[in-house]
Amino acid sequence: CIKVRPSTPLAIAATVVVVFVAFGRLLDHLGGAAFFTDLAAALMGRYRGGAAKISIVASALFGSISGSAVSNVATTGVITIPLMRKSGFKAENAAGIEAVASTGGQLTPPVMGAAAFLMAEFLNISYAEIVIAALIPAALYYLALFVLADLTAAKEGISGMPAEDRPRIGAVLRAGWVFALPFAALIWALFVLNYQPATAGLVASAILLVVGLVLPAARSALRPDKLIGAIAKGGAGFAQIVVITAAAGIVIGVLNETGLSFGLTSYLVGFAKDEILTLLFLAAAVSIVLGMGMPTIAVYVLLATLVAPALTRLGIEPIAAHLFVLYFGMMSMITPPVAIAAFAAAALADAGPMRTAVAAVRFGWPAFVLPFAFAYNPALLLSGTPSDALIAVILTVS
């Protein structure tokens, strides 16, 4: 059973998460989210069901550094959902696609809704190992959603965006290619220079500020009055994270002191009678129920304390167990009856919340299968040789 100190979530929030929250807020403030959306439109807009593919790509790009599925829906969905509705998608389908795409951002490196930093602490391994392990599952998640959106577009006869409505790839890149520099710096600092995540985040944020000074369109956003407003919004978001992580630390302390976490682990293992598949189904159901209505960090901390140890006791690799519970915890955001990401998207699409949640599950069903695949075959988490990983990907896709 993996133990973590009650103070760990708050310490991670104060030293690491705050840096990446600030980075994400600054990126959005300087126009990075709009750049990602325009880039997705330029790349995917011409294809069948192009508006849905724009939503998927934009949500993956911005969601990978966003700390919340709901906030990702609000940021990208306000643009992509009307685009999908205009192109011919039903309201609930448009909202469902956006909800699933935004939820996937919490499972996509480098930030993973800040869960990656906590996972590294729980497992006592490097942050880089978490990022590497999460790459292939995240790619498969979005590949499956991409295919389902394309099939829906084919079934309903939805074509791509008109040429006059699509931004030109050359113009988009000329206007915002420098937004790639902070991400390149982040990856370089993490994987080449072996900086700590907080230090790497500060380096990326500093380069992002330089980008803001270079870009004429972003320079006005650095005016003191606008920058102070953005910092205030970021501070409000971070205050929520502090409260959540402090509460998570209290929960960890209570569970450790009372032995409740060990009790639930023993109960799950005993109920499953050493059958791994039975335990995985139980863990998936418990993760969805416990995760309903909760933000990413709180979901992960709770499940990592209560459910993941039961999986490791039956021989599942620790990193696979923790990613398993994180995936199903995030699936609670699109699963009725409390599907907060789907409900947020429904409000933007003017669709029924429960119909949207059902549509989201229909588009996101491969994400309910994927964790079972990497629990049984850790090669999907790049645990093994490259040939093992390639074979595992081929078998999973097929």
Side-chain angles (χ1 to χ4, degrees):
C1 181
I2 298 171
K3 294 288 186 181
V4 66
R5 296 186 305 275
S7 60
T8 296
L10 189 57
I12 296 295
T15 58
V16 179
V17 176
V18 62
V19 174
F20 283 88
V21 168
F23 177 68
R25 292 285 183 178
L26 184 60
L27 181 69
D28 185 27
H29 180 66
L30 295 180
F35 166 70
F36 290 142
T37 304
D38 288 344
L39 180 62
L43 292 172
M44 298 293 165
R46 74 185 68 187
Y47 300 110
R48 180 174 63 194
K53 294 168 184 176
I54 292 169
S55 170
I56 294 167
V57 174
S59 295
L61 290 172
F62 186 72
S64 64
I65 54 94
S66 169
S68 163
V70 174
S71 119
N72 197 15
V73 168
T75 302
T76 59
V78 71
I79 299 171
T80 59
I81 288 175
L83 277 178
M84 285 188 276
R85 295 285 291 118
K86 182 180 177 183
S87 69
F89 281 93
K90 297 175 182 177
E92 60 268 25
N93 286 343
I97 290 170
E98 176 60 42
V100 177
S102 292
T103 299
Q106 306 301 286
L107 304 167
T108 304
V111 178
M112 298 170 63
F117 312 120
L118 286 165
M119 193 179 296
E121 190 72 22
F122 267 92
L123 296 174
N124 196 27
I125 60 177
S126 71
Y127 165 77
E129 290 179 72
I130 302 296
V131 170
I132 291 169
L135 280 174
I136 289 179
L140 292 175
Y141 178 103
Y142 279 109
L143 174 63
L145 178 58
F146 198 89
V147 170
L148 288 172
D150 183 72
L151 293 175
T152 300
K155 179 182 177 181
E156 299 182 2
I158 300 171
S159 60
M161 294 173 62
E164 60 272 16
D165 292 341
R166 294 196 310 265
R168 302 298 179 191
I169 183 66
V172 171
L173 290 176
R174 282 194 299 272
W177 68 269
V178 288
F179 280 116
L181 295 179
F183 290 94
L186 178 64
I187 293 169
W188 181 267
L190 285 171
F191 296 101
V192 178
L193 301 180
N194 293 318
Y195 284 177
Q196 292 296 315
T199 305
L202 286 173
V203 170
S205 299
I207 292 177
L208 186 55
L209 284 172
V210 174
V211 166
L213 293 172
V214 170
L215 280 179
R219 202 173 297 149
S220 63
L222 292 177
R223 283 172 33 194
D225 56 335
K226 292 185 177 180
L227 193 56
I228 289 172
I231 292 172
K233 289 182 180 178
F238 179 63
Q240 294 176 358
I241 291 173
V242 167
V243 172
I244 291 165
T245 50
I250 293 171
V251 170
I252 289 174
V254 171
L255 292 173
N256 287 344
E257 291 300 320
T258 61
L260 196 58
S261 59
F262 180 78
L264 181 60
T265 296
S266 299
Y267 175 78
L268 288 174
V269 172
F271 190 87
K273 300 185 185 302
D274 294 333
E275 291 290 337
I276 290 181
L277 184 59
T278 303
L279 179 59
L280 288 174
F281 275 111
L282 280 173
V286 170
S287 298
I288 290 173
V289 171
L290 292 180
M292 285 182 175
M294 297 177 66
T296 304
I297 293 177
V299 170
Y300 172 67
V301 169
L302 186 63
L303 297 177
T305 306
L306 288 176
V307 182
L311 301 178
T312 58
R313 275 184 60 177
L314 284 193
I316 294 175
E317 288 194 10
I319 194 168
H322 281 249
L323 283 172
F324 184 94
V325 298
L326 176 63
Y327 263 73
F328 278 104
M330 291 301 96
M331 289 305 98
S332 70
M333 297 191 175
I334 62 169
T335 306
V338 186
I340 56 174
F343 293 170
L348 294 176
D350 196 24
M354 204 55 67
R355 289 203 312 274
T356 298
V358 171
V361 171
R362 190 170 68 249
F363 283 108
W365 71 263
F368 292 86
V369 177
L370 182 58
F372 288 88
F374 62 66
Y376 272 103
N377 191 352
L380 284 173
L381 306 180
L382 296 178
S383 175
T385 65
S387 60
D388 291 337
L390 180 61
I391 293 170
V393 169
I394 292 172
L395 291 174
T396 304
V397 171
S398 61

